[in-house]
Amino acid sequence: GIELRLFFDAGASVYDQCWWGCTKWFVDAYRAQGIEFDRILGWEAASVNHTQFWASVPKDLKPKYGYFNVPVSGDPNSGDHLWHHVRSLAQEEDYVVVKLDIDNNPLETLLVRQLLADPELVNLV
């Protein structure tokens, strides 16, 4: 069975500042299907006011939400590499959701190619 439900949000923006596609939209859409994330990790390259950001995150999500106000990396040797985090936290039995919308087509393409070239990683996602 499913052990953990993990959401990796590359291009997280601010939690609730959108009408679709932001972290809140995904949390609400999955909750409507009976899926509650155990862990949420988000990356955003644009500078964000952290006081305002965390004020927008609901109390029940704060203990399981990690937010990196840095660009996600395509370099496998970087601590900000998206797939490094997936590999470090996910197991094959977990339910893993990855949103990749960083408005950087070359980097998005690189990350997708890295995913597709790695059968072990594909089994985690």
Side-chain angles (χ1 to χ4, degrees):
I2 294 173
E3 296 294 321
L4 292 174
R5 293 164 180 87
L6 307 170
F7 179 38
F8 298 88
D9 188 355
S13 189
V14 174
Y15 177 76
D16 64 351
Q17 290 187 1
C18 71
W19 64 276
W20 74 273
C22 61
T23 308
K24 181 185 185 314
W25 186 90
F26 280 89
V27 168
D28 291 347
Y30 279 86
R31 277 182 173 165
Q33 301 299 317
I35 298 168
E36 183 71 31
F37 292 115
D38 298 299
R39 186 84 190 269
I40 301 168
L41 293 181
W43 290 262
E44 177 56 45
S47 182
V48 169
N49 178 312
H50 290 267
T51 302
Q52 290 176 348
F53 173 85
W54 286 108
S56 74
V57 176
K59 178 182 177 183
D60 67 307
L61 292 182
K62 286 186 179 185
K64 50 187 166 183
Y65 198 149
Y67 185 78
F68 305 97
N69 197 187
V70 298
V72 70
S73 174
D75 176 0
N77 296 313
S78 169
D80 297 311
H81 187 243
L82 175 61
W83 305 130
H84 165 69
H85 287 265
V86 171
R87 284 182 205 283
S88 297
L89 297 172
Q91 304 288 324
E92 281 192 40
E93 61 271 11
D94 295 339
Y95 186 88
V96 176
V97 176
V98 176
K99 183 199 101 187
L100 180 58
D101 182 14
I102 54 176
D103 300 327
N104 179 335
N105 189 268
L107 181 54
E108 289 171 340
T109 301
L110 173 64
L111 288 165
V112 169
R113 286 184 177 156
Q114 289 171 347
L115 170 65
L116 295 176
D118 187 335
E120 289 181 14
L121 185 57
V122 168
N123 284 335
L124 295 177
V125 176

